């Protein structure tokens, strides 16, 4: 199946062009022209979403599940074309795109299954107690209900699983909320073909066309118009700290503030406890190198920090990590801008007082090579900039003096998506000392593993305290993600004929 982008927005079932266009910047292959959205496009899409909400929110769970399954089917029907345009635009290898497509359809099917089971509704019932003294109790029923139209921002590093039909869109649609997606300019063709798949599913399932729109743009005004539109009731975002914080502030400043579920950044520290370092420091170093460089380090769970206690084994770990990273070839990054930012981050770390370079190399335009640095616990604690994310395959080893300084580093961490403990049984006392701190710092805590690779399942948490995300009680991966787009409603003494069908 050959796919040639037409470069239009999908707004409530209609493909809409624009006089103003931008040109894509693919890693390889031909560039294409795409329409630049306007605030009027946003108004049209959001008004249609608001209108569609009344019928879509009242649809049955069976109808919504069939819709999610249909979207997955339509994506799979375009599998080869999606992989082709995705590899051209992003430079990601074919196997990565195929795996990500499977994850995307898997998420859609997982939410279809989840809503059919009904547990997400959290139904509660307190029967009336008419004879209770001193006052009777009314009949009270509670159920989760959809919040309204949701804005979703496509992510640069996941053109499928965190973009047009990714986890935010899947969970919002599952909840009964229409979605307006602001496509990411790094992969507009991929976004367009996935939007075609969603439109086909809308037609197949006879869903109101306003339930989904995709607006393309390489400018900020579309995003600003989207999060401030009065019909939008919640926002899902994956991206930079600066961009996410700006949108978060806009959401909070609205006359009617709305929740902004942003996943913004994380350095995902690993704590290598002494006995684990002695027993398998070399293996941990090699595993870290693989995790750190996977996908050119362009994962939000990329483990950028390793904390070790000063010892001969710590030096051996530094040497082994440098050797393992030194054998990794340069990799293509998602965009020229990301590659430029990575180089700037490498230069910033390299130029920081008290930081020793263990492995450096030049980065060609749109390519990234691994960089490895070492510093002390004292220096890291004194310089907060060393705790900031560098998006790419850069590792920083923090060599601390003792267990107390390791705990001090843990206490000083900002919010993280993940924290990892590498430990042996004899490391348990130190691990117990760290665990209460790490529970306050991260949404996911690993033992003897590496955080790249986020399983899509019921128990996964992909979120954490700020700045990892803007809402520490939410996750953007796993079935709990649906709760972001629901709110509890209590019905008191309500006639059965007026209750939502899911509560009866």
């Amino acid at each position: 199946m050959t796919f040639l982008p037409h470069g239009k927005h999908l707004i409530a079932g209609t493909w809409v062009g624009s006089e103003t266009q931008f040109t894509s910047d693919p890693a390889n292959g031909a560039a294409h022209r795409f329409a630049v959205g306007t605030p009027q496009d946003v108004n049209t899409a959001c008004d249609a979403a608001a209108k569609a909400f009344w019928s879509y929110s009242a649809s049955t769970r069976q109808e919504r599940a069939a819709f999610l399954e249909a979207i997955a089917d339509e994506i799979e029907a375009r599998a080869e074309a999606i992989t082709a345009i995705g590899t051209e635009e992003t430079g990601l290898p074919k196997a990565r795109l195929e795996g990500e497509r499977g994850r995307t359809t898997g998420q859609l099917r997982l939410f279809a299954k989840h809503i059919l089971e009904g547990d997400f509704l959290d139904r509660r019932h307190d029967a009336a107690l008419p004879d209770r003294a001193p006052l009777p109790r009314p009949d009270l029923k509670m159920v989760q209900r959809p919040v309204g139209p949701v804005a979703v921002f496509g992510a640069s590093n996941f053109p499928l699983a965190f973009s047009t039909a990714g986890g935010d869109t899947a969970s919002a649609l599952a909840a009964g909320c229409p979605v307006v997606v602001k496509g990411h300019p790094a992969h507009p063709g991929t976004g367009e073909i996935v939007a075609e798949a969603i439109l086909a599913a809308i037609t197949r399932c006879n869903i109101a066309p306003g339930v989904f729109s995709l607006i393309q743009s390489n400018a900020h005004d579309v995003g600003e118009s989207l999060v401030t539109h009065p019909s939008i009731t919640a926002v899902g975002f994956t991206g930079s700290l600066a961009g996410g914080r700006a949108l978060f502030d806009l959401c909070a400043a609205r006359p009617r503030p709305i929740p902004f579920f942003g996943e913004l950044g994380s350095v995902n520290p690993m704590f290598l406890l002494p006995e684990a370092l002695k027993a398998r420091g070399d293996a941990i170093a090699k595993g870290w190198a693989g995790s750190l460089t996977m996908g050119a380090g362009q994962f939000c769970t990329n483990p950028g920090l390793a904390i070790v206690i000063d010892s001969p084994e710590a030096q051996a770990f530094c040497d082994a990590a440098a050797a393992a990273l030194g054998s990794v070839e340069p990799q293509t990054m998602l965009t020229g801008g990301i590659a430029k930012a990575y180089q700037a981050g490498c230069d910033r770390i390299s130029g920081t007082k008290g930081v020793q370079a263990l492995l450096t190399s030049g980065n060609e335009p749109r390519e990234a090579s691994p960089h490895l640095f070492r510093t002390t616990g004292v220096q890291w604690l004194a310089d907060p900039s060393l705790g900031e994310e560098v998006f790419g395959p850069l590792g920083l080893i923090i060599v601390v003096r003792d267990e107390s300084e390791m705990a001090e580093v843990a206490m000083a961490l900002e919010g993280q998506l993940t924290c990892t403990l590498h430990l042996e049984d004899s490391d348990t006392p130190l691990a117990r000392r760290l665990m209460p701190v790490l529970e306050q710092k991260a949404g996911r805590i690993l033992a003897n593993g590496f955080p790249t690779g986020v399983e899509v399942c019921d128990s996964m948490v992909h979120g954490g305290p700020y700045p990892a995300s803007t809402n520490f009680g939410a996750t953007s991966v796993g079935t709990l993600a649906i709760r972001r787009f629901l709110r509890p409603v209590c019905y008191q003494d309500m006639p059965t004929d007026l209750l939502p069908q899911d509560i009866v």
Side-chain angles (χ1 to χ4, degrees):
M1 178 180 178
T2 301
F3 174 71
L4 183 65
H6 50 64
K8 296 180 179 180
H9 315 295
L10 175 62
I11 300 179
T14 301
W15 293 104
V16 178
S18 165
E19 290 185 5
T20 305
Q21 297 181 324
F22 70 96
T23 302
S24 64
D25 183 24
N28 53 75
H32 301 282
R33 301 282 289 170
F34 291 88
V36 174
T38 65
Q40 182 55 52
D41 293 324
V42 171
N43 285 336
T44 303
C46 291
D47 289 347
K51 182 179 179 181
F53 176 70
W54 303 116
S55 61
Y56 189 64
S57 65
S59 63
T60 67
R61 287 180 282 135
Q62 291 74 17
E63 289 169 335
R64 296 201 301 278
F67 179 39
L68 295 171
E69 292 279 4
I71 296 173
D73 290 343
E74 295 293 345
I75 289 173
E76 289 172 349
R78 294 160 175 78
E80 292 185 8
I82 288 172
T83 299
I85 188 71
T87 53
E88 286 181 7
E89 290 186 323
T90 66
L92 294 171
K94 178 180 178 182
R96 157 70 192 274
L97 265 296
E98 289 173 343
E100 192 180 329
R101 188 186 69 247
R103 172 175 170 158
T104 304
T105 56
Q107 288 175 152
L108 290 159
R109 299 191 194 283
L110 176 65
F111 278 109
K113 177 176 179 290
H114 183 62
I115 60 175
L116 289 176
E117 292 170 346
D119 291 345
F120 76 102
L121 295 167
D122 194 17
R123 289 173 282 210
R124 305 181 186 203
H125 181 204
D126 289 292
L129 298 175
D131 299 324
R132 189 183 68 176
L135 294 172
R137 184 177 74 186
D139 184 82
L140 299 167
K141 296 183 175 74
M142 189 273 280
V143 71
Q144 300 287 335
R145 299 294 294 151
V147 298
V150 171
V152 170
F153 285 72
S156 64
N157 58 335
F158 278 87
L160 298 171
F162 277 87
S163 290
T164 310
D168 287 346
T169 297
S171 55
L173 292 176
C177 300
V179 173
V180 180
V181 172
K182 192 275 183 186
H184 199 286
H187 41 76
T190 308
E192 182 183 304
I193 191 172
V194 173
E196 286 189 354
I198 298 174
L199 179 58
I202 286 172
T203 303
R204 174 172 149 188
C205 297
N206 195 29
I207 300 289
V211 81
F212 176 83
S213 292
L214 168 70
I215 301 175
Q216 307 274 26
S217 180
N218 65 341
H220 296 303
D221 59 342
V222 165
E224 293 172 359
S225 297
L226 189 52
V227 302
T228 56
H229 195 281
S231 294
I232 295 298
T233 58
V235 179
F237 174 89
T238 300
S240 70
L241 174 59
R245 183 54 195 255
L247 294 173
F248 172 84
D249 290 344
L250 285 173
C251 289
R254 288 172 37 140
R256 180 168 63 92
I258 59 173
F260 180 86
F261 299 103
E263 192 257 275
L264 307 181
S266 183
V267 291
N268 305 295
M270 304 189 313
F271 292 82
L272 282 63
L273 305 194
E275 295 305 317
L277 199 59
K278 289 179 183 178
R280 45 195 169 84
D282 188 68
I284 296 172
K286 291 176 181 177
W288 184 39
S291 180
L292 193 65
T293 60
M294 184 185 297
Q298 299 168 118
F299 286 86
C300 41
T301 53
N302 191 35
L305 292 184
I307 300 97
V308 298
I309 296 175
D310 196 8
S311 64
E313 291 80 15
Q315 181 58 55
F317 173 78
C318 292
D319 294 340
L325 290 169
S327 65
V328 177
E329 296 293 324
Q331 299 177 72
T332 301
M333 301 201 84
L334 291 160
T335 69
I338 290 174
K340 185 177 180 180
Y342 173 65
Q343 182 62 64
C346 294
D347 293 342
R348 173 176 61 82
I349 299 294
S350 179
T352 300
K353 179 183 177 181
V355 173
Q356 175 190 359
L358 301 180
L359 175 70
T360 61
S361 59
N363 294 314
E364 297 296 324
R366 202 157 175 170
E367 284 193 343
S369 295
H371 286 62
L372 182 64
F373 300 93
R374 170 177 173 160
T375 192
T376 65
V378 170
Q379 180 60 37
W380 188 87
L381 289 165
D383 189 346
S385 71
L386 292 175
E388 296 174 3
E389 180 185 27
V390 176
F391 195 61
L394 181 147
L396 175 62
I397 300 172
I398 304 171
V399 181
V400 298
R401 292 172 296 196
D402 51 27
E403 293 183 4
S404 293
E405 191 168 89
M406 178 176 276
E408 193 176 351
V409 167
M411 287 288 290
L413 288 167
E414 296 277 7
Q416 304 293 327
L417 294 171
T418 73
C419 288
T420 300
L421 290 169
H422 288 278
L423 73 161
E424 296 288 297
D425 288 345
S426 51
D427 288 313
T428 299
L430 176 54
R432 284 191 181 133
R433 181 177 178 181
L434 294 172
M435 277 297 290
V437 180
L438 302 187
E439 287 175 348
Q440 294 298 310
K441 298 294 182 177
R444 177 164 58 115
I445 306 170
L446 297 81
N448 296 326
F450 299 95
T452 41
V454 181
E455 186 71 26
V456 180
C457 61
D458 289 325
S459 52
M460 178 52 64
V461 172
H462 190 61
Y466 186 86
S469 60
T470 56
N471 190 310
F472 60 80
T475 175
S476 61
V477 179
T479 51
L480 191 61
I482 196 173
R483 292 295 297 270
R484 298 173 297 171
F485 308 123
L486 296 165
R487 65 181 184 88
V489 178
C490 178
Y491 302 86
Q492 181 170 325
D493 290 331
M494 190 63 58
T496 299
D497 289 345
L498 296 180
L499 288 170
Q501 58 187 327
D502 282 328
I503 204 172
V504 177

